[in-house]
Coordinates of all heavy atoms in Angstrom, one line a residue:
V1370 N 18.4 -5.3 4.7 CA 17.8 -6.3 3.8 C 18.9 -7.0 3.1 O 19.3 -6.6 2.0 CB 16.7 -5.7 2.9 CG1 16.1 -6.8 2.0 CG2 15.6 -5.0 3.7
V1371 N 19.5 -8.1 3.6 CA 20.7 -8.7 3.1 C 20.5 -10.2 2.9 O 21.5 -10.9 2.6 CB 21.9 -8.4 3.9 CG1 22.3 -6.9 3.8 CG2 21.7 -8.7 5.4
Q1372 N 19.3 -10.7 3.1 CA 19.0 -12.1 2.9 C 18.0 -12.2 1.8 O 17.0 -11.4 1.8 CB 18.5 -12.8 4.2 CG 19.6 -12.9 5.2 CD 19.2 -13.8 6.4 OE1 18.4 -14.7 6.2 NE2 19.9 -13.7 7.5
G1373 N 18.2 -13.1 0.9 CA 17.2 -13.3 -0.2 C 17.4 -12.3 -1.3 O 16.5 -12.2 -2.2
V1374 N 18.6 -11.7 -1.3 CA 18.8 -10.6 -2.3 C 20.1 -10.9 -3.0 O 20.7 -10.0 -3.7 CB 18.8 -9.2 -1.7 CG1 17.4 -8.9 -1.3 CG2 19.8 -9.1 -0.6
G1375 N 20.7 -12.1 -2.9 CA 22.0 -12.4 -3.6 C 23.2 -11.8 -2.9 O 24.2 -11.5 -3.5
F1376 N 23.0 -11.6 -1.5 CA 24.1 -10.9 -0.8 C 25.3 -11.8 -0.6 O 26.5 -11.4 -0.7 CB 23.6 -10.3 0.5 CG 24.4 -9.1 0.9 CD1 24.2 -7.8 0.5 CD2 25.5 -9.3 1.8 CE1 25.0 -6.8 0.9 CE2 26.3 -8.3 2.3 CZ 26.0 -7.0 1.8
R1377 N 25.1 -13.0 -0.2 CA 26.2 -13.9 0.1 C 27.0 -14.2 -1.2 O 28.3 -14.1 -1.1 CB 25.7 -15.2 0.7 CG 25.3 -15.1 2.2 CD 24.7 -16.4 2.7 NE 23.5 -16.8 1.9 CZ 23.0 -18.0 1.9 NH1 23.5 -19.0 2.7 NH2 21.9 -18.3 1.2
P1378 N 26.4 -14.4 -2.3 CA 27.2 -14.5 -3.6 C 28.0 -13.3 -3.9 O 29.1 -13.3 -4.3 CB 26.1 -14.8 -4.6 CG 25.0 -15.5 -3.9 CD 25.0 -14.8 -2.6
F1379 N 27.3 -12.1 -3.6 CA 28.0 -10.8 -3.8 C 29.3 -10.7 -2.9 O 30.4 -10.3 -3.3 CB 27.1 -9.7 -3.5 CG 27.7 -8.4 -3.2 CD1 28.4 -7.7 -4.1 CD2 27.6 -7.8 -1.9 CE1 29.0 -6.4 -3.8 CE2 28.2 -6.6 -1.6 CZ 28.9 -5.9 -2.5
V1380 N 29.1 -11.1 -1.6 CA 30.2 -11.1 -0.7 C 31.3 -12.1 -1.2 O 32.5 -11.7 -1.2 CB 29.8 -11.5 0.8 CG1 31.0 -11.7 1.7 CG2 28.8 -10.5 1.3
Y1381 N 30.9 -13.2 -1.6 CA 31.9 -14.2 -2.1 C 32.7 -13.6 -3.3 O 33.9 -13.6 -3.3 CB 31.2 -15.5 -2.6 CG 32.1 -16.5 -3.3 CD1 32.6 -17.6 -2.5 CD2 32.4 -16.4 -4.6 CE1 33.4 -18.5 -3.1 CE2 33.2 -17.4 -5.2 CZ 33.7 -18.4 -4.4 OH 34.5 -19.3 -5.0
R1382 N 32.0 -13.0 -4.3 CA 32.7 -12.4 -5.5 C 33.6 -11.3 -5.1 O 34.7 -11.1 -5.6 CB 31.7 -12.0 -6.5 CG 30.9 -13.1 -7.1 CD 30.1 -12.6 -8.3 NE 29.0 -11.7 -7.9 CZ 27.8 -12.0 -7.6 NH1 27.4 -13.3 -7.6 NH2 26.9 -11.1 -7.2
T1383 N 33.1 -10.5 -4.1 CA 33.9 -9.3 -3.7 C 35.2 -9.8 -3.0 O 36.3 -9.3 -3.3 CB 33.1 -8.4 -2.7 OG1 31.9 -8.0 -3.4 CG2 33.9 -7.2 -2.3
A1384 N 35.1 -10.7 -2.1 CA 36.3 -11.3 -1.4 C 37.2 -11.9 -2.4 O 38.4 -11.8 -2.3 CB 35.8 -12.2 -0.3
H1385 N 36.7 -12.7 -3.3 CA 37.5 -13.4 -4.3 C 38.3 -12.4 -5.1 O 39.5 -12.5 -5.4 CB 36.6 -14.3 -5.1 CG 37.4 -15.2 -6.0 ND1 37.7 -14.9 -7.3 CD2 38.0 -16.4 -5.8 CE1 38.4 -15.9 -7.8 NE2 38.6 -16.8 -6.9
A1386 N 37.6 -11.3 -5.6 CA 38.2 -10.3 -6.4 C 39.4 -9.6 -5.7 O 40.3 -9.1 -6.3 CB 37.2 -9.3 -6.9
L1387 N 39.2 -9.4 -4.3 CA 40.2 -8.7 -3.5 C 41.3 -9.7 -3.0 O 42.2 -9.3 -2.3 CB 39.5 -8.0 -2.4 CG 38.6 -6.8 -2.8 CD1 37.9 -6.3 -1.6 CD2 39.5 -5.7 -3.5
G1388 N 41.1 -11.0 -3.3 CA 42.1 -11.9 -2.8 C 42.1 -12.2 -1.3 O 43.1 -12.6 -0.7
L1389 N 40.9 -12.1 -0.7 CA 40.7 -12.4 0.7 C 40.3 -13.8 1.0 O 39.5 -14.4 0.2 CB 39.7 -11.4 1.3 CG 40.1 -9.9 1.2 CD1 38.9 -9.1 1.7 CD2 41.3 -9.6 2.1
D1390 N 40.7 -14.4 2.0 CA 40.3 -15.7 2.5 C 39.1 -15.4 3.5 O 39.0 -14.3 4.1 CB 41.4 -16.4 3.2 CG 42.5 -16.8 2.3 OD1 42.3 -17.0 1.1 OD2 43.7 -16.8 2.7
G1391 N 38.4 -16.5 3.8 CA 37.3 -16.4 4.8 C 36.1 -17.1 4.5 O 36.1 -18.1 3.7
W1392 N 35.0 -16.7 5.1 CA 33.7 -17.3 4.9 C 32.6 -16.3 5.1 O 32.8 -15.2 5.7 CB 33.5 -18.5 5.8 CG 33.6 -18.2 7.3 CD1 34.8 -18.2 8.0 CD2 32.6 -17.8 8.2 NE1 34.5 -17.8 9.3 CE2 33.2 -17.6 9.4 CE3 31.2 -17.6 8.0 CZ2 32.5 -17.1 10.5 CZ3 30.5 -17.2 9.1 CH2 31.1 -17.0 10.4
V1393 N 31.3 -16.6 4.7 CA 30.2 -15.8 4.9 C 29.0 -16.7 5.1 O 28.9 -17.9 4.6 CB 29.9 -14.9 3.7 CG1 29.6 -15.7 2.4 CG2 28.7 -13.9 3.9
A1394 N 28.0 -16.3 5.9 CA 26.8 -17.1 6.2 C 25.7 -16.1 6.5 O 25.9 -15.0 7.0 CB 27.0 -18.1 7.3
N1395 N 24.4 -16.6 6.3 CA 23.3 -16.0 6.9 C 23.2 -16.4 8.3 O 23.3 -17.6 8.7 CB 22.0 -16.4 6.1 CG 21.8 -15.8 4.8 OD1 22.4 -14.7 4.5 ND2 21.0 -16.4 3.9
V1396 N 23.0 -15.4 9.2 CA 22.8 -15.7 10.6 C 21.6 -14.9 11.1 O 21.6 -13.7 11.1 CB 24.1 -15.2 11.4 CG1 23.8 -15.5 12.9 CG2 25.3 -16.0 10.9
A1397 N 20.5 -15.7 11.5 CA 19.2 -15.0 11.9 C 18.8 -14.1 10.8 O 18.5 -14.5 9.7 CB 19.4 -14.4 13.2
G1398 N 18.8 -12.8 11.0 CA 18.3 -11.9 10.0 C 19.4 -11.0 9.4 O 19.1 -10.1 8.7
H1399 N 20.7 -11.3 9.6 CA 21.7 -10.5 9.0 C 22.8 -11.5 8.4 O 22.6 -12.7 8.3 CB 22.4 -9.6 10.0 CG 23.1 -10.3 11.1 ND1 22.4 -10.9 12.2 CD2 24.4 -10.6 11.3 CE1 23.3 -11.5 13.0 NE2 24.5 -11.3 12.5
V1400 N 23.8 -10.9 7.8 CA 24.9 -11.7 7.2 C 26.2 -11.4 8.0 O 26.4 -10.3 8.4 CB 25.1 -11.3 5.7 CG1 26.4 -11.8 5.2 CG2 24.0 -11.8 4.9
E1401 N 26.9 -12.5 8.2 CA 28.2 -12.3 8.9 C 29.2 -13.3 8.4 O 28.9 -14.2 7.7 CB 28.1 -12.4 10.4 CG 27.7 -13.8 11.0 CD 27.7 -13.8 12.5 OE1 27.0 -12.9 13.1 OE2 28.3 -14.7 13.1
G1402 N 30.5 -13.0 8.8 CA 31.6 -13.9 8.4 C 32.9 -13.4 8.9 O 33.0 -12.6 9.8
E1403 N 34.0 -14.0 8.3 CA 35.3 -13.6 8.6 C 36.1 -13.4 7.3 O 35.9 -14.1 6.3 CB 36.0 -14.6 9.5 CG 35.4 -14.7 10.9 CD 36.1 -15.7 11.8 OE1 37.0 -16.5 11.2 OE2 35.8 -15.8 13.0
V1404 N 37.1 -12.5 7.3 CA 38.0 -12.3 6.2 C 39.4 -12.2 6.8 O 39.7 -11.7 7.9 CB 37.7 -11.1 5.4 CG1 36.5 -11.3 4.5 CG2 37.5 -9.9 6.3
A1405 N 40.4 -12.7 5.9 CA 41.8 -12.6 6.3 C 42.6 -12.1 5.1 O 42.4 -12.5 4.0 CB 42.3 -14.0 6.7
G1406 N 43.5 -11.1 5.4 CA 44.3 -10.5 4.4 C 44.9 -9.3 4.8 O 44.9 -9.0 6.1
D1407 N 45.4 -8.4 3.9 CA 45.9 -7.1 4.3 C 44.8 -6.2 4.9 O 43.7 -6.2 4.4 CB 46.5 -6.5 3.0 CG 47.2 -5.2 3.3 OD1 48.4 -5.2 3.6 OD2 46.5 -4.1 3.2
S1408 N 45.2 -5.5 5.9 CA 44.2 -4.7 6.6 C 43.6 -3.6 5.7 O 42.4 -3.4 5.8 CB 44.8 -4.0 7.9 OG 45.9 -3.2 7.5
R1409 N 44.3 -3.0 4.8 CA 43.8 -2.0 3.9 C 42.8 -2.6 2.9 O 41.8 -2.0 2.6 CB 44.9 -1.3 3.2 CG 45.7 -0.3 4.1 CD 46.9 0.2 3.4 NE 47.9 -0.8 3.0 CZ 49.0 -0.6 2.3 NH1 49.3 0.6 2.0 NH2 49.8 -1.6 2.0
V1410 N 43.1 -3.9 2.5 CA 42.2 -4.5 1.6 C 40.9 -4.9 2.3 O 39.8 -4.8 1.7 CB 42.9 -5.8 1.0 CG1 41.9 -6.6 0.1 CG2 44.2 -5.4 0.2
I1411 N 41.0 -5.3 3.6 CA 39.8 -5.6 4.3 C 38.9 -4.4 4.5 O 37.7 -4.4 4.4 CB 40.2 -6.2 5.7 CG1 40.8 -7.6 5.5 CG2 39.0 -6.3 6.6 CD1 41.3 -8.2 6.8
D1412 N 39.5 -3.2 4.7 CA 38.8 -2.0 4.8 C 38.1 -1.7 3.5 O 36.9 -1.2 3.4 CB 39.7 -0.8 5.1 CG 40.2 -0.8 6.6 OD1 39.5 -1.5 7.4 OD2 41.2 -0.2 6.9
E1413 N 38.8 -2.0 2.3 CA 38.1 -1.8 1.0 C 37.0 -2.8 0.9 O 35.9 -2.4 0.3 CB 39.2 -2.0 -0.1 CG 38.6 -2.0 -1.5 CD 38.0 -0.7 -1.9 OE1 38.3 0.3 -1.3 OE2 37.2 -0.7 -2.9

Side-chain angles (χ1 to χ4, degrees):
V1370 180
V1371 291
Q1372 293 191 19
V1374 292
F1376 203 85
R1377 287 175 301 167
F1379 158 69
V1380 173
Y1381 177 96
R1382 292 190 296 270
T1383 303
H1385 189 266
L1387 293 173
L1389 297 172
D1390 298 326
W1392 58 270
V1393 64
N1395 284 337
V1396 178
H1399 65 282
V1400 166
E1401 67 177 50
E1403 292 181 352
V1404 284
D1407 183 90
S1408 61
R1409 288 174 296 181
V1410 178
I1411 291 176
D1412 289 340
E1413 173 64 18

